[in-house]
Amino acid sequence: MTPNRRELIAGGAALAAAPAFAAAPASLVSRRPPVAERRFVSKAVEAEITRISKLIADPTLRWMFGNCYPNTLDTTVLSLSEVDGKPDAFVITGDIPCLWLRDSAAQLRPYLHLVKRDPALGRLFRGLIGRQARSILIDPYANAFMQDPTAKTNLSWALHDDTEMKPGVAERKWEIDSLCYAIRLAYGYWRETGDTTPFDAEWKASARAIVKTFREQQRKDGPGPYRFRRSAPEPTETLYRGTGLPTRPNGMIHSGFRPSDDACLYGQFVPANLFAMTTLRELAALSNAVGEPALAQDATALAAEVEGALKQHGTMTLPNGERVWAFEVDGYGNAVFMDDANVPSLSGMAYLGCVDPADPLWQRTLAACWSKDNPWYFEGKALTGIGGPHTGPDQVWPMSIITRALTSTDPTLLRASLSMLRGSQGGTGFIHEGVDIDDPTKFTRDWFAWANGLFGELIVHVAATRPQVLRETFA
């Protein structure tokens, strides 16, 4: 997610051992680790792989699904144990042995519909909900955490950050979406199961910390307690004077960084505010269910404030005269239009449930994101899609193609998306971070569990909604 991760991969160094399948020859042989080496095995997930695979006619697409869908369970559940008699799960991103709040929550999402079928899978979800709550109580401004909550960071790029680094924190980039994803994980589990056992006093304290942090970062009474500076060659790795460029408070929540872990240009990051508005309402529903009406009222009120600010300040006019959602604004009338592959993105708002997929404003925004109006939209011989500043020009993130397809009902677009994704894997059988638009063998991140799981989620979604598309083969 950071340029440092990309440098580590390109330079051949690694903070975590690469999975056993990484060096396998480019063939249709399974790239999963041997059964005895898999980190976590779910009978329900294995049954789902078998069921869905039978529906996929294209051999390469079927092979990719079998590799990608279980990748989080196979390789990134670093531990599943107990803390104070409660499940505790530590889920890493892939090539870095740290837990990102965003990534870990997103990594488990593709299995949510199976959680009632497998008690072990339910325990994994409860373990991650508990671990995320304890991590947030360490520092709600941090995006990534160590397995040992008493350990100092071992991430080389974070060792000298000018910020308040606490034990247990791996990286301290303030990103609104980190806390949103923690809410979404908890809410999704509760809605799917009706189980309220994970939402104990510790979880409730973390939920209150989330709302408190969001309110601090509305910056009505100054910039709040968070400061972050880093000495790095990329300006996207640090914040101007520790808090970012000046903004005028307007009710939106300020973010230091985007879900790419790149710094915001303007701190009022619109996709993350839309996500916060949505997840705060989810938090309210869950809080009422677990006997916390005051927290529910606070979350509901804050969501309404953010929604009002978004309506008033979150849109902009493109040079062609079309009104669209802005990517970032500063409250002074300045706005930037772009989109980034990482979710929350403007393109990903319908996938996250923040907007109605048929909403005209979002449809105009989506069309602009997938056009030359977006400086990070690229068209090449192999791939067409959205990348971002993180990997630079002419790098499409397959994640952008997947996110768009997940909210499309157009069979033609689905076919084109699956064809591009099939061709993006460069002979590895996995989904990568950034891929060269003309040469899929040039990519970043061999081991990126979030993207692998998102691809699996897409295939399951297509099987449920447009199964005829999976009965086709792709060139």
Side-chain angles (χ1 to χ4, degrees):
M1 296 294 187
T2 70
N4 308 79
R5 298 192 194 194
R6 189 164 67 252
E7 289 160 10
L8 280 169
I9 297 165
L15 289 173
F21 51 76
S27 69
L28 299 188
V29 175
S30 173
R31 300 297 180 87
R32 297 181 67 183
V35 174
E37 297 177 18
R38 294 173 190 172
R39 293 285 189 173
F40 184 94
V41 176
S42 164
K43 292 180 180 179
V45 171
E46 295 301 322
E48 187 76 337
I49 294 169
T50 300
R51 182 183 76 85
I52 299 293
S53 294
K54 291 177 180 177
L55 305 176
I56 306 172
D58 188 278
T60 300
L61 207 62
R62 185 169 60 246
W63 172 61
M64 290 176 64
F65 175 73
N67 295 330
C68 292
Y69 188 59
N71 186 245
T72 285
L73 303 184
D74 284 353
T75 67
T76 70
V77 181
L78 212 60
S79 67
L80 178 58
S81 56
E82 289 190 354
V83 171
D84 297 328
K86 298 175 291 188
D88 172 62
F90 193 81
V91 180
I92 64 174
T93 68
D95 48 21
I96 300 177
C98 298
L99 179 146
W100 259 251
L101 293 176
R102 170 188 54 253
D103 291 47
S104 59
Q107 284 166 236
L108 286 198
R109 179 179 172 82
Y111 316 123
L112 184 61
H113 68 294
L114 303 171
V115 74
K116 289 189 292 187
R117 304 182 197 176
D118 186 345
L121 191 60
R123 184 167 178 261
L124 176 61
F125 271 81
R126 294 192 298 275
L128 184 57
I129 290 168
R131 168 64 75 145
Q132 290 200 346
R134 288 188 293 278
S135 297
I136 289 166
L137 289 174
I138 291 172
D139 186 355
Y141 283 102
N143 57 327
F145 294 87
M146 304 293 291
Q147 184 173 11
D148 179 355
T150 68
K152 294 182 178 180
T153 183
N154 61 2
L155 301 181
S156 59
W157 56 85
L159 291 174
H160 305 292
D161 287 347
D162 181 8
T163 190
E164 185 185 356
M165 289 289 285
K166 297 178 180 179
V169 170
E171 186 172 60
R172 196 174 189 249
K173 287 184 171 179
W174 159 236
E175 300 162 1
I176 294 172
D177 68 276
S178 292
L179 300 184
C180 294
Y181 272 105
I183 297 171
R184 175 60 57 89
L185 173 71
Y187 175 79
Y189 174 82
W190 169 64
R191 281 299 301 269
E192 187 67 26
T193 66
D195 178 19
T196 59
T197 56
F199 311 118
D200 55 12
E202 192 170 53
W203 180 87
K204 292 173 183 177
S206 75
R208 287 190 288 270
I210 289 173
V211 176
K212 177 177 181 289
T213 303
F214 282 166
R215 287 201 176 277
E216 286 175 351
Q217 287 306 314
Q218 285 182 297
R219 299 192 178 183
K220 294 178 179 179
D221 301 308
Y226 179 74
R227 302 288 187 281
F228 182 95
R229 291 192 297 180
R230 172 178 290 173
S231 178
E234 299 288 346
T236 52
E237 283 297 292
T238 192
L239 296 179
Y240 174 76
R241 294 184 177 270
T243 56
L245 292 174
T247 57
R248 175 181 287 164
N250 58 18
M252 290 175 65
I253 302 164
H254 291 65
S255 193
F257 293 84
R258 303 165 180 165
S260 58
D261 295 339
D262 294 336
C264 294
L265 177 61
Y266 300 135
Q268 294 165 349
F269 176 37
V270 172
N273 272 269
L274 284 161
F275 195 21
M277 174 193 74
T278 304
T279 55
L280 280 166
R281 287 171 176 152
E282 294 173 349
L283 176 60
L286 177 51
S287 297
N288 276 323
V290 297
E292 289 290 327
L295 176 58
Q297 290 173 7
D298 197 11
T300 299
L302 180 53
E305 284 185 44
V306 174
E307 181 178 29
L310 284 163
K311 288 180 177 178
Q312 187 172 357
H313 302 282
T315 61
M316 64 182 293
T317 302
L318 294 176
N320 64 8
E322 289 195 327
R323 197 73 182 170
V324 296
W325 285 111
F327 190 69
E328 292 169 358
V329 299
D330 68 355
Y332 288 103
N334 296 305
V336 60
F337 184 81
M338 57 168 279
D339 205 24
D340 190 294
N342 285 265
V343 182
S345 59
L346 291 175
S347 299
M349 288 297 95
Y351 164 67
L352 291 174
C354 303
V355 298
D356 184 330
D359 176 67
L361 174 60
W362 183 72
Q363 283 290 334
R364 290 195 302 272
T365 304
L366 178 65
C369 290
W370 283 76
S371 78
K372 294 299 183 181
D373 287 328
N374 175 13
W376 301 104
Y377 168 81
F378 306 109
E379 298 176 352
K381 297 176 183 177
L383 293 175
T384 292
I386 297 170
H390 193 71
T391 49
D394 296 330
Q395 291 271 315
V396 162
W397 286 44
M399 182 179 287
S400 70
I401 301 169
I402 297 169
T403 303
R404 188 187 189 196
L406 276 164
T407 51
S408 175
T409 58
D410 179 1
T412 301
L413 187 145
L414 288 174
R415 291 186 191 100
S417 299
L418 291 175
S419 180
M420 281 195 290
L421 292 167
R422 178 184 181 275
S424 76
Q425 42 88 24
T428 68
F430 291 97
I431 300 296
H432 304 294
E433 183 187 59
V435 180
D436 185 276
I437 58 174
D438 295 321
D439 185 355
T441 65
K442 298 177 181 178
F443 55 79
T444 60
R445 298 193 76 175
D446 288 293
W447 185 12
F448 186 19
W450 179 14
N452 286 325
L454 197 64
F455 171 78
E457 183 178 346
L458 173 61
I459 297 297
V460 173
H461 172 75
V462 175
T465 59
R466 292 289 189 275
Q468 68 276 13
V469 174
L470 294 182
R471 291 195 285 268
E472 302 176 21
T473 55
F474 301 88

